[in-house]
Amino acid sequence: MSHIPACLNPTEEDIQLLLSAKAHLGAQNVDSHMLPYVYQRRDDGINIINVVKTWEKLVLAARVIAAIEDPQDVCVISSRSFGQRAVLKYGIHTGAQGLAGRFTPGNFTNYITRKFKEPRLIVVADPREDSQAIREASYVNIPVIAFCNTDSPLEHVDIAIPLNNSSKHAIGLGFWLLAREVLRLRGTLSRKESWDIMVDLYFFREAEEVEKDQEAITEKPTEGNWEQTTEGADAAALANAGNWEATEGDWAEGAAPAADWAAEGAANSGWTA
């Protein structure tokens, strides 16, 4: 990789992450502008993305983002559900503005709108799904960085990062690598230390998966309490076993005056007179 300094070269772990997340698997169709990023075509028609060029564009995008003084001037956008969580996490960790969900028309061009913004740079997860944001950015001369698949249109895109943006793991990993590289270039994170933020936090999760995890977390303490209560009840019962015998003996002794009550009742009644 002669295009970037040696310190910015990827490690073996970074390449393994990209391959395990299937970030190199493109679509069956190829846009003419994405041909330089295609390594080869498989027999089943899937185009393989060159991972080396993916890393080069990631580093280039990170250097552009790190050059902006105010992190709030960077706007990260994702209309697709797969990239919404990654966009929000990226905004939290780097200080950028995260726009997850539908992009409201006029956010960059109509100053009357409530969510009007004037960013200096935008990063989108999919040029096709986020075409409205890219179109408005072109009207006001805002540079655009986009994660692009092999069939993604590159109109008005200044820096294209070749990546499988249709996979939730690949798009999450892409934003995680970009955020880590930005923090390293800013000096917040050292290259000799590993980032303590797990890449799993950038992955999209279904609502059902979140509910199952929450139920599992809430059920574990209750199960332990039930076991403790049953064990405590058994121990108390064993401890009081001798008391039951003692109380039975007391009841037997206290039953003797019952005969006296019967005799007194017969003596005081007037039926025998």
Side-chain angles (χ1 to χ4, degrees):
M1 300 178 64
S2 59
H3 300 286
I4 60 178
C7 62
L8 301 179
N9 289 336
T11 61
E12 185 178 354
E13 183 181 359
D14 297 334
I15 300 300
Q16 289 179 355
L17 285 174
L18 289 171
L19 295 178
S20 61
K22 297 181 180 180
H24 63 292
L25 298 181
Q28 294 184 350
N29 299 327
V30 182
D31 189 85
S32 60
H33 297 91
M34 290 295 295
L35 281 174
Y37 306 111
V38 177
Y39 177 69
Q40 65 180 4
R41 185 182 179 91
R42 295 195 317 193
D43 295 338
D44 56 356
I46 299 297
N47 294 281
I48 305 299
I49 299 174
N50 193 340
V51 181
V52 175
K53 294 187 177 181
T54 299
W55 182 262
E56 290 179 356
K57 285 305 186 75
L58 267 172
V59 173
L60 176 61
R63 294 172 68 180
V64 172
I65 295 172
I68 298 177
E69 297 179 358
D70 189 2
Q72 288 289 328
D73 289 338
V74 180
C75 190
V76 191
I77 304 168
S78 177
S79 300
R80 298 185 62 178
S81 57
F82 284 175
Q84 291 180 8
R85 185 175 183 181
V87 161
L88 296 176
K89 293 295 183 180
Y90 178 90
I92 292 173
H93 295 143
T94 62
Q97 302 182 56
L99 294 180
R102 179 179 178 272
F103 180 83
T104 305
N107 275 359
F108 297 155
T109 56
N110 189 1
Y111 66 91
I112 302 177
T113 58
R114 184 179 302 176
K115 298 182 179 180
F116 177 71
K117 295 178 177 58
E118 292 181 303
R120 296 181 58 187
L121 176 70
I122 68 171
V123 182
V124 299
D126 190 348
R128 181 171 284 107
E129 296 293 333
D130 302 319
S131 59
Q132 179 67 28
I134 295 176
R135 189 180 300 110
E136 292 190 11
S138 66
Y139 295 159
V140 292
N141 297 326
I142 298 176
V144 177
I145 299 174
F147 288 94
C148 302
N149 208 335
T150 56
D151 59 347
S152 298
L154 298 185
E155 187 178 4
H156 304 306
V157 175
D158 298 286
I159 299 177
I161 303 174
L163 190 79
N164 181 13
N165 57 11
S166 59
S167 171
K168 64 180 181 180
H169 296 118
I171 194 65
L173 177 63
F175 275 105
W176 183 81
L177 291 173
L178 184 62
R180 188 188 66 175
E181 194 64 29
V182 169
L183 294 178
R184 286 178 174 178
L185 291 173
R186 289 176 179 173
T188 307
L189 182 65
S190 175
R191 293 188 179 276
K192 298 180 180 179
E193 300 177 358
S194 59
W195 198 19
D196 56 353
I197 302 299
M198 297 180 61
V199 67
D200 298 352
L201 296 176
Y202 282 68
F203 292 163
F204 170 76
R205 300 181 64 189
E206 297 285 350
E208 297 177 356
E209 297 179 2
V210 178
E211 291 178 359
K212 288 181 181 179
D213 293 345
Q214 291 178 353
E215 290 177 359
I217 293 173
T218 54
E219 285 177 0
K220 286 181 180 179
T222 55
E223 290 177 358
N225 294 338
W226 277 108
E227 293 177 357
Q228 292 178 2
T229 52
T230 53
E231 291 177 359
D234 295 341
L238 292 173
N240 295 330
N243 296 336
W244 282 104
E245 295 176 358
T247 52
E248 287 178 357
D250 297 338
W251 292 345
E253 293 177 359
D260 299 337
W261 293 342
E264 291 176 0
N268 294 330
S269 62
W271 293 99
T272 56

